[in-house]
Amino acid sequence: MNAPRTRVQRRPVHGVLLLDKPLGLSSNQALQKAKWLLRAEKAGHTGTLDPLASGVLPLCFGAATKFSQLHLEADKTYEATARLGIRTSTGDAEGEVIEERPVAVTPEDLARVQTQFTGPIRQVPPMHSALKKDGKALYEYAREGIEVERAPRDVVIHALELVQLSAHEIRIRVSVSKGTYIRTLGEDIGAALGCGAHLSALRRTATGSFDVSQCVTLEALEAMSEAQRIAQLLPTEALVAGHTNVTLCAEDAARFLSGLRRRGAWPDAAEVAVFGQAPAAFLGTAHVKAGELIPGRLLNPIEIQQTLLTEATP
C-alpha cells in the first residue's frame, strides 16, 4: 500500500530566481519544480524556453510576478549549433527530416551571411511557436498538419558570430531583440548558405542584465536547505534594474501607494523604479511627466512587508 503524499505547506515568497533550465523540461515544468522546492504560493516566468533549449530562465515569485512582463521586452543572447544540409519540420532536432542537400560552405560564405543577418531583419514566425491565430496557438495548427499565414516581424540582430565547427556544423552566437526566433534564424542562415539547416542545440546565455553565470540549477537547488534556497532569490526590483530610481519620503510613499500622483523636481522619464525611505523598500514603477510622478504597477502594503521578511530570512 502506498504511503499518503505529504501536502506541501505554501507560503508567501517574493523575489526572482535565476534558473539554468535543463534540457528536457518545459519552462512551466521547471517553474513548477522550483515553486515546489520554495513552497511558494505564487510564481511565473518571464518568457519560455523550449524543452530542447537550456539556459537563463528568470522565475518570478510573489510580488515579482507583477513585473515579469517588463522583462519580456529584454534583449537576449544565445549560443546555438546548427546542422547544415538538413531541414526539419520544426527547425530543430525534434522534427522530421523534410529535405537533405549537399554542403559546401566556405569561410567567405559565413562572413557574407553573418553581415547579411546583422542589424534589422524580418522574420516569419515558425508554425511551431506559441503565437496565436484566432485564439489558437500556432503549434496546435502544426500538430494537425495545418499551416496558416503569418505576418513577417521586424526584429534586430544586435551581434552575430558564425563559426564553422565541421563540414556540416556551425556555431551561432547571437544577441537579439525581443520576439526573435533563433530556430527561424538558423533556418534562414541555412537557406542563405544554400544548403538548409536546423538547430541541433540551443542555450540562452543572457536575458537583459541577467547572465547564465548568475544562475542556479534545479539539481543544486534541490540539494540546498530551505534557507539556502531563499537566499538564491534576487529582490523584486532586480527586474527594473535599468529604470530611473526615485526615492520618496514616508508621507509621499503612502500617497503614491494609494495611486496618487506626486510632484517633484524630477526630469521626464518613461521608466521609473520608486522606493520608500522608511522602511527602505521597493514600492513599484511609474513614469515622470512635467514634474509629476505617475503610478504604474504598485505593490500593496502586505506585499512590501512580506518582501522585507523574505529578504531578511537568514
Side-chain angles (χ1 to χ4, degrees):
M1 184 174 179
N2 293 331
R5 292 185 64 184
T6 302
R7 185 177 180 84
V8 174
Q9 186 66 42
R10 300 289 182 183
R11 58 183 173 173
V13 172
H14 303 274
V16 182
L17 179 72
L18 299 184
L19 183 71
D20 186 346
K21 189 192 84 66
L23 295 172
L25 290 185
S26 69
S27 293
N28 188 58
Q29 287 172 327
L31 171 67
Q32 295 307 319
K33 178 69 172 176
K35 182 181 178 182
W36 182 82
L37 289 170
L38 287 165
R39 297 196 290 116
E41 290 177 342
K42 186 178 181 181
H45 56 68
T46 62
T48 60
L49 271 178
D50 292 340
L52 290 182
S54 66
V56 185
L57 181 66
L59 304 180
C60 299
F61 296 91
T65 60
K66 288 187 174 182
F67 307 94
S68 60
Q69 187 71 23
L70 300 177
H71 208 73
L72 294 176
E73 310 292 314
D75 293 341
K76 297 173 175 62
T77 302
Y78 296 88
E79 288 189 2
T81 303
R83 175 67 164 82
L84 303 178
I86 298 177
R87 292 178 56 232
T88 70
S89 56
T90 59
D92 59 25
E94 195 173 39
E96 297 179 1
V97 174
I98 57 176
E99 184 184 22
E100 293 191 47
R101 299 180 67 178
V103 179
V105 173
T106 67
E108 291 74 22
D109 293 330
L110 288 182
R112 170 182 56 81
V113 170
Q114 183 172 298
T115 300
Q116 179 182 342
F117 285 93
T118 300
I121 66 169
R122 305 201 88 192
Q123 277 193 338
V124 176
M127 281 300 302
H128 288 268
S129 69
L131 281 180
K132 291 190 175 181
K133 172 81 171 179
D134 299 328
K136 187 174 177 180
L138 291 182
Y139 65 78
E140 296 182 83
Y141 289 105
R143 288 172 181 170
E144 296 169 6
I146 301 171
E147 181 159 346
V148 299
E149 187 175 350
R150 290 97 68 203
R153 282 181 160 193
D154 293 316
V155 298
V156 180
I157 309 300
H158 299 298
L160 175 64
E161 179 187 36
L162 303 178
V163 177
Q164 189 150 13
L165 301 177
S166 68
H168 291 83
E169 277 192 331
I170 60 172
R171 182 177 62 222
I172 301 172
R173 287 179 176 156
V174 63
S175 176
V176 301
S177 68
K178 68 169 184 174
T180 305
Y181 289 94
I182 307 303
R183 279 181 298 156
T184 300
L185 179 64
E187 289 184 302
D188 290 346
I189 286 172
L193 290 171
C195 58
H198 71 273
L199 294 191
S200 57
L202 177 62
R203 182 164 175 77
R204 184 192 286 166
T205 58
T207 173
S209 61
F210 302 141
D211 185 83
V212 71
S213 64
Q214 301 170 268
C215 294
V216 63
T217 65
L218 282 175
E219 184 180 19
L221 199 66
E222 196 164 10
M224 295 176 183
S225 67
E226 284 202 341
Q228 289 172 324
R229 291 169 188 164
I230 291 293
Q232 296 296 313
L233 294 173
L234 298 177
T236 297
E237 57 264 34
L239 293 171
V240 294
H243 287 37
T244 301
N245 289 350
V246 166
T247 301
L248 301 177
C249 67
E251 181 181 347
D252 278 341
R255 292 179 180 276
F256 175 79
L257 285 175
S258 67
L260 296 177
R261 300 182 180 193
R262 311 314 300 144
R263 292 203 64 84
W266 302 299
D268 285 2
E271 297 179 327
V272 177
V274 183
F275 296 82
Q277 283 182 331
F282 176 58
L283 307 180
T285 59
H287 69 277
V288 176
K289 186 174 182 181
E292 278 197 323
L293 184 68
I294 303 169
R297 291 180 174 88
L298 304 178
L299 300 185
N300 62 52
I302 293 176
E303 288 173 329
I304 292 172
Q305 290 300 319
Q306 290 176 344
T307 297
L308 292 172
L309 288 172
T310 298
E311 294 173 2
T313 301

